Amino acid sequence: MLYIIKHVLNGYLLRNFKMSLILPEEALVKFIQLNGWDIENQKWIRRTNYKAALKSLDNSSDISINFLNEITSYLQIYIWGIVYCYGITQDPNTKDYMMVLHYCKNGNLRNYYLNSNDDTKLYDLSRIANGLLDIHNAEKVHKDLHSGNILEGGTMYISDLGMCQPANKQIVKEEGIYGVLPYMAPEVLRGYQYTKAADIYSFGIIMNEFLSEEIPFKDIPHDHILAIKICKGLRPKISEDIPKFLVDLIMKCWDAKAENRPSAKELDQILAKWHEEYMKFNGEIYSQMSEYEKIREIKFKNRSHENKSESIKTHPQAIYTSRLLSFKNLPEPVNSSDLTSFQVNSDDVSTNLISECFDVQLSESDLNEINQEEEI
């Protein structure tokens, strides 16, 4: 059943809260949740002082019927690996809609890995993959999967199902695509239909970010040039300390050809199996993960002694919130030519090569093409 919560959240308006789930205190509320009807005593069963988070849908006062219908369809699907949405409310002043979500105290994935030193990364990845599988089994696609939409609240949750398009737009397809550029599959950048395989690409970027603990493409502008480079095979660098079996999976997920990427079911099965092997505390997977965790612990201690703001410092034109993008004349997606010698499951290529091979140069004709489009 879908509960629409009416004005119980007055006074808890969000300040500069634009599609972000790193919540200030003002965004946290306590509300009464109705858990059912007590037939014997003829009264509602109430759960009081329940923490929830608000998420504002900017410029949604003229929200479309199609968008509301999509919200309804997602709210009616209860999946354990998806952050629970209790309903929607409306700001009585601006008339913008706000989602009432389960509160995840550790924030999004990026906030979590920068501020914790857990040794459960295989399990965490397995939980994210399982949540994505549930979405795909429900014949849905996320469309906007990035580290800001993965939350940690005792376990990993995926958030923002179907919320990626502007709430006040009837048709986004005519204007462009909506998302966070570093996480978007090259075929989506070119305007092709969003598919389950595009979610898998995003998962690969997230997986590498989580294991490398590096924000993807944080030192460069997120512009047309980056979109061209992604289509030509540019990918975030892979940290040298990531175990090779995980590197192989990352690269399969972000393959330029959608048909070469694994399905969510395959991801779920593979990561669950690896976690099971790891928990036996012996074998090759346990050995590789133990080495990775030792290196990561040193990195975490070093980061704790340094200025943490440096870890999250990004280029002024690197944008990690969902936005409307429109690119023209992007090249056909290919894998970087530097990767031709590295085949998945190959044992004869060092991780040093992997970390160095994700660079793509633009030709003079590419730059001229971009300049011409900007003049138009």
Side-chain angles (χ1 to χ4, degrees), residues 107-172:
N108 65 32
L109 187 70
R110 186 171 301 157
N111 182 70
Y112 178 65
Y113 71 67
L114 287 174
N115 293 284
S116 67
N117 188 27
D118 73 286
D119 58 356
T120 62
K121 291 209 169 185
L122 270 181
Y123 174 75
D124 293 336
L125 288 169
S126 177
R127 292 309 316 149
I128 299 169
N130 187 256
L132 185 58
L133 173 61
D134 285 341
I135 293 171
H136 288 183
N137 282 343
E139 294 306 317
K140 305 286 185 181
V141 287
H142 190 286
K143 302 179 183 178
D144 193 25
L145 199 62
H146 56 82
S147 60
N149 285 337
I150 307 295
L151 308 179
E152 209 290 328
T155 188
M156 292 292 170
Y157 295 95
I158 298 176
S159 69
D160 278 12
L161 279 75
M163 301 301 132
C164 55
Q165 68 271 43
N168 62 333
K169 300 294 183 182
Q170 290 282 356
I171 301 175
V172 178

Side-chain angles (χ1 to χ4, degrees), residues 148-312:
N149 285 337
I150 307 295
L151 308 179
E152 209 290 328
T155 188
M156 292 292 170
Y157 295 95
I158 298 176
S159 69
D160 278 12
L161 279 75
M163 301 301 132
C164 55
Q165 68 271 43
N168 62 333
K169 300 294 183 182
Q170 290 282 356
I171 301 175
V172 178
K173 188 175 182 181
E174 294 181 354
E175 299 186 10
I177 50 177
Y178 209 78
V180 181
L181 179 55
Y183 302 85
M184 299 174 73
E187 70 272 14
V188 174
L189 295 177
R190 296 188 75 229
Y192 283 72
Q193 182 178 358
Y194 207 106
T195 64
K196 294 176 181 178
D199 278 346
I200 301 299
Y201 179 95
S202 302
F203 180 89
I205 301 292
I206 291 169
M207 184 177 174
N208 182 59
E209 177 181 357
F210 189 38
L211 294 168
S212 297
E213 299 189 350
E214 290 288 340
I215 302 172
F217 302 134
K218 70 175 185 177
D219 299 325
I220 58 176
H222 295 177
D223 55 13
H224 195 165
I225 292 177
L226 177 57
I228 291 175
K229 286 188 173 184
I230 289 172
C231 288
K232 290 197 168 193
L234 179 67
R235 301 292 184 268
K237 289 186 178 180
I238 299 177
S239 177
E240 295 178 5
D241 51 278
I242 297 178
K244 187 177 178 303
F245 67 94
L246 290 170
V247 171
D248 291 345
L249 185 59
I250 289 169
M251 295 181 67
K252 287 188 71 174
C253 288
W254 67 27
D255 195 289
K257 294 184 180 297
E259 61 270 22
N260 291 343
R261 301 168 199 159
S263 66
K265 183 177 180 180
E266 289 171 326
L267 278 180
D268 179 59
Q269 291 175 339
I270 290 169
L271 287 167
K273 180 182 178 182
W274 285 344
H275 178 253
E276 182 181 345
E277 290 294 318
Y278 171 75
M279 293 305 295
K280 293 177 181 178
F281 302 108
N282 57 46
E284 185 60 27
I285 287 178
Y286 178 76
S287 175
Q288 289 190 43
M289 288 302 297
S290 295
E291 285 300 313
Y292 162 77
E293 287 160 6
K294 288 177 184 177
I295 296 172
R296 184 180 173 275
E297 185 175 357
I298 294 171
K299 286 183 176 180
F300 182 78
K301 288 179 179 178
N302 291 338
R303 191 164 62 228
S304 298
H305 294 297
E306 297 171 355
N307 185 354
K308 281 191 177 180
S309 63
E310 291 298 315
S311 300
I312 58 174

Side-chain angles (χ1 to χ4, degrees), residues 13-24 26-27 56 58 321:
L13 306 183
L14 309 186
R15 300 176 185 174
N16 299 321
F17 188 57
K18 296 186 178 181
M19 306 306 281
S20 172
L21 280 172
I22 303 177
L23 301 176
E26 299 92 91
S56 176
D58 298 317
T321 54

